[in-house]
Amino acid sequence: MEDCKRTVKRKKNKTEKQEDVIKSKIKSEEESKKPIDLKYGPLPTFTNQRIWSRAILILGASVVVYFTSKSNKEISFAKQRDLIESRQHNVICSEDYKSELDKFPGCVPEICGRYVTDKLITETEANELLEVAKKAFSLSVSEGGASIVDLHSGALSMGKVFVNIYKLESGADLFSAADFFTYKSVRTKIQNLVSQHFKISPNSLFLTHPTFFSRLTSKDAVTPHDEYWHPHVDKETYKSFHFTSLLYLNDFGLDFNGGRFVFIEKNNNTLVIEPKKGRVSTFT
């Protein structure tokens, strides 16, 4: 009997504890229902509060998406399939650029920016210059992905160094008078384009060095000269440069992939030019 009583007593104690827990929970719930005195008074409420809250959240998310999408955009300035008569993109001239040109009367451009045209150089001229480049690179190219030949100085990429193409036995009579005539004619056209577009006297423009043909491939870089893809400013790389002009001799997407020219804007947007045979791009 003693054992039975003890068992019953223990059960009663357990039941009493459960009741205490239940009472405690009920008491806590009742206390939580009591109004809380807020330090700064009651929170404001208004009609359709939940709907307005959701609308504000959606608007906030939209603003974030909008401003995020406004940066790091790739903007096509000239696609290979485009036939461009004249296209320009003006930018504000930098102060250091203007201050240097101020030293040379007649050299300060009225505008700074980029200009593209597919109507300046004829298909025949582009093909003839392509053959000139092929002649040179048939003698030698760089071990890496970038090779150049400069008809003025004779510099030609050979392995990891440069040699004078005119001093090579096979290069002495490599180019014909017609080759040089075409080169000079095209160079004069581009020089006049720079003069007209940027409104500078043609007598104030002079050809500088280096002026060269370049051949870019997918080979791994061997020397720093092969790493042409790094962001850079021509004026910082070549102190004598004030204007740069490019003439493309083959087509992006047809003759090769890659090789696009990219301007990086202050907001990290990029302005892209795709190579097209005969296309001229010039910029400050």
Side-chain angles (χ1 to χ4, degrees):
M1 288 295 292
E2 287 295 324
D3 290 339
C4 289
K5 286 180 181 177
R6 286 196 190 104
T7 303
V8 171
K9 190 174 182 179
R10 287 194 189 101
K11 286 183 178 179
K12 283 184 178 180
N13 288 340
K14 187 174 182 181
T15 304
E16 288 172 358
K17 286 181 181 179
Q18 289 176 345
E19 289 176 354
D20 290 342
V21 171
I22 293 170
K23 288 177 181 178
S24 175
K25 285 184 178 179
I26 293 171
K27 187 176 181 182
S28 297
E29 288 175 359
E30 288 175 349
E31 288 178 353
S32 66
K33 292 178 182 178
K34 292 180 180 179
I36 300 173
D37 294 331
L38 298 176
K39 185 176 180 180
Y40 300 104
L43 293 172
T45 58
F46 48 87
T47 307
N48 298 326
Q49 184 172 356
R50 181 175 294 180
I51 295 174
W52 279 104
S53 299
R54 289 179 180 175
I56 290 170
L57 286 173
I58 293 170
L59 178 62
S62 300
V63 169
V64 170
V65 171
Y66 174 76
F67 281 105
T68 303
S69 66
K70 292 292 282 184
S71 59
N72 299 315
K73 272 189 176 180
E74 181 178 291
I75 302 168
S76 177
F77 187 46
K79 289 185 176 293
Q80 187 277 334
R81 65 173 179 265
D82 297 341
L83 183 59
I84 299 171
E85 183 169 348
S86 175
R87 185 172 295 171
Q88 67 183 53
H89 176 250
N90 296 341
V91 298
I92 298 173
C93 298
S94 64
E95 291 302 321
D96 57 337
Y97 181 78
K98 289 192 296 184
S99 64
E100 181 172 311
L101 285 178
D102 281 337
K103 301 173 185 176
F104 307 99
C107 291
V108 181
E110 291 191 11
I111 56 173
C112 287
R114 301 88 185 234
Y115 180 83
V116 170
T117 179
D118 298 328
K119 293 290 190 176
L120 182 68
I121 307 302
T122 67
E123 184 178 357
T124 299
E125 288 171 328
N127 286 332
E128 288 176 357
L129 287 182
L130 179 58
E131 290 305 313
V132 170
K134 286 180 177 180
K135 285 181 184 180
F137 295 130
S138 68
L139 301 184
S140 175
V141 293
S142 166
E143 283 187 15
S147 303
I148 68 103
V149 60
D150 184 341
L151 296 188
H152 295 268
S153 67
L156 172 68
S157 298
M158 180 175 282
K160 297 180 181 179
V161 298
F162 297 100
V163 297
N164 190 330
I165 192 172
Y166 300 124
K167 292 185 178 181
L168 298 177
E169 184 177 351
S170 53
D173 300 316
L174 184 64
F175 305 116
S176 66
D179 292 336
F180 287 114
F181 177 82
T182 300
Y183 173 78
K184 183 178 180 180
S185 174
V186 169
R187 189 210 73 190
T188 302
K189 279 186 175 183
I190 294 174
Q191 193 167 338
N192 289 336
L193 172 69
V194 172
S195 169
Q196 292 168 12
H197 179 69
F198 294 105
K199 296 180 173 54
I200 298 171
S201 169
N203 297 326
S204 300
L205 285 175
F206 298 93
L207 195 65
T208 186
H209 291 289
T211 300
F212 54 86
F213 292 85
S214 63
R215 176 179 180 266
L216 306 178
T217 72
S218 58
K219 285 184 180 179
D220 291 336
V222 175
T223 71
H225 297 291
D226 298 320
E227 299 181 20
Y228 56 85
W229 55 82
H230 296 297
H232 63 277
V233 177
D234 281 353
K235 187 70 183 71
E236 295 176 358
T237 306
Y238 304 104
K239 298 301 181 183
S240 60
F241 278 24
H242 290 105
F243 304 91
T244 299
S245 298
L246 304 174
L247 167 60
Y248 293 104
L249 299 178
N250 42 19
D251 292 283
F252 170 80
L254 299 178
D255 301 315
F256 57 88
N257 290 315
R260 301 183 308 164
F261 194 94
V262 178
F263 292 105
I264 302 174
E265 307 290 337
K266 286 185 177 180
N267 56 4
N268 287 327
N269 287 347
T270 54
L271 200 67
V272 180
I273 297 175
E274 294 179 356
K276 178 186 180 75
K277 181 183 284 188
R279 172 169 289 169
V280 174
S281 167
T282 184
F283 51 90
T284 54

